[in-house]
Amino acid sequence: MSTTRTGTSCVDAARLGILLNELRLPTIKVLWPQFAEQSDKEGWPAGRFLAAIAEHEIAERARRRIERHLVEARLPPGKTLDTFDFDTVPMVSKAQVTALAAGDGWVGKGANLLLFGPPGGGKSHLAAALGLALVENGWRVLFTRTTDLVQKLQVARRELDLEAAINRLDRFDLLILDDLAYVTKDQAETSVLFELISARYERRSLLITANQPFGEWNKVFPDPAMTLAAIDRLVHHATILEMNVESYRRRAALERKRAPGRPPVHATAKTVVE
Ligand code: ADP
Ligand code: MG
């Protein structure tokens, strides 16, 4: 490049590259020559040049952090708030969900969100979409089927590692437990779930989806006292959304039937995914 006419010529670029590596400033390393050229051409004060490249380094760092958090969140693909049709769940307002997606009002405080409703009503979709928005807003999230996590915690308990395993989950501001009601106490030792709920109480948030309201949770926990104690902790600081709507899939199928030859707006993408 035209290094001879610019300030880059009076610098040992190779040496500077090594220094910037050492300082772990990869974005500045890549961007400084073009910024230096512009800065020389336009006669920027040195402070402006420094501020400009520092801003880029910070922005790129934030982008990479979010990228890492997206990978670790293990969100199901394609479930976003943009593709969530709020018209089908009139009891859930878009404004409320938008506020929840910021996270400050609840994730920052270790409060919980509980989504109830029959199968197909969009609980998992909404949970995943909220998870995605929260990651984009800087929170750390893990999405997991409740049964999968319970199994992992049971293994940890057997290896006398339960406390450490629960502590490791502390790095997530929000843990999304999808389909709590599918966990049954026949799977033995669901008390690990209770221990998780207790450990996170008032410190780290949980988002739980369940087909069954609390009345049926006796099937999940080993005894009624533990069920009550779990519910008590979960609801103490919680937003509860009851999504009592008809299955989105069934609705889409019915719409297709009613208007043959003219595919309904919602059906296409969703049915392909399944
Ligand atoms: P649930 O978890 O309540 O059983 P899901 O979230 O899995 O329901 O929804 C079933 C399917 O229908 C998914 O493919 C989901 O993306 C889609 N779906 C459900 N509700 C909506 C909605 N309101 N807008 C867009 N897609 C929806
Ligand atoms: Mg679901």
Side-chain angles (χ1 to χ4, degrees):
M1 270 176 56
S2 55
T3 46
T4 47
R5 281 184 287 111
T6 73
T8 55
S9 62
C10 40
V11 180
D12 180 346
R15 168 92 184 124
L16 182 53
I18 293 167
L19 294 177
L20 291 170
N21 273 349
E22 194 101 337
L23 290 168
R24 295 195 170 73
L25 297 169
T27 307
I28 291 184
K29 186 183 167 193
V30 171
L31 290 183
W32 80 264
Q34 84 194 53
F35 273 84
E37 194 173 329
Q38 188 183 0
S39 158
D40 289 345
K41 217 182 283 169
E42 296 173 10
W44 292 4
R48 178 170 169 197
F49 167 75
L50 186 58
I53 55 174
E55 290 286 354
H56 277 276
E57 184 71 53
I58 292 282
E60 184 57 20
R61 239 176 232 188
R63 198 192 58 73
R64 279 200 306 267
R65 191 183 321 117
I66 287 176
E67 213 169 67
R68 276 199 311 276
H69 292 175
L70 267 181
V71 172
E72 75 179 6
R74 308 217 198 118
L75 295 161
K79 307 298 179 192
T80 66
L81 289 177
D82 284 343
T83 57
F84 189 76
D85 180 358
F86 284 90
D87 293 343
T88 63
V89 258
M91 60 291 275
V92 174
S93 85
K94 191 169 182 177
Q96 186 178 20
V97 170
T98 307
L100 289 168
D104 309 300
W106 65 294
V107 179
K109 299 175 180 154
N112 302 321
L113 177 61
L114 310 176
L115 305 183
F116 292 140
K123 301 181 299 295
S124 298
H125 186 134
L126 188 58
L130 271 172
L132 177 63
L134 287 164
V135 170
E136 284 168 350
N137 286 325
W139 303 98
R140 288 180 78 179
V141 173
L142 176 68
F143 184 105
T144 172
R145 291 197 326 169
T146 313
T147 40
D148 292 347
L149 187 67
V150 164
Q151 262 166 29
K152 279 187 194 138
L153 293 179
Q154 284 167 352
V155 171
R157 162 168 283 175
R158 251 173 267 139
E159 293 168 356
L160 305 178
D161 191 40
L162 181 62
E163 202 182 326
I166 287 176
N167 286 345
R168 281 194 293 277
L169 293 170
D170 264 4
R171 67 182 187 281
F172 297 109
D173 302 294
L174 175 68
L175 209 55
I176 301 177
L177 303 182
D178 196 28
D179 276 329
L180 178 105
Y182 285 156
V183 180
T184 58
K185 54 188 170 191
D186 314 336
Q187 287 172 295
E189 290 278 7
T190 46
S191 59
V192 291
L193 192 57
F194 176 74
E195 299 204 18
L196 175 73
I197 290 167
S198 299
R200 289 181 78 89
Y201 175 57
E202 291 192 324
R203 293 190 314 109
R204 291 278 186 278
S205 298
L206 289 168
L207 191 171
I208 289 178
T209 78
N211 293 334
Q212 308 287 346
F214 297 125
E216 301 293 318
W217 284 22
N218 265 325
K219 294 188 190 126
V220 175
F221 294 96
D223 60 70
M226 200 179 277
T227 310
L228 268 183
I231 293 170
D232 198 52
R233 282 164 177 73
L234 283 176
V235 301
H236 187 190
H237 309 282
T239 302
I240 300 176
L241 300 181
E242 304 228 23
M243 301 168 66
N244 288 320
V245 290
E246 201 190 343
S247 158
Y248 194 81
R249 282 182 285 249
R250 201 163 52 227
R251 225 174 114 123
L254 281 176
E255 273 179 38
R256 269 197 307 275
K257 232 184 193 168
R258 270 189 222 122
R262 199 162 54 89
V265 247
H266 309 306
T268 43
K270 274 102 207 173
T271 38
V272 173
V273 173
E274 291 304 300

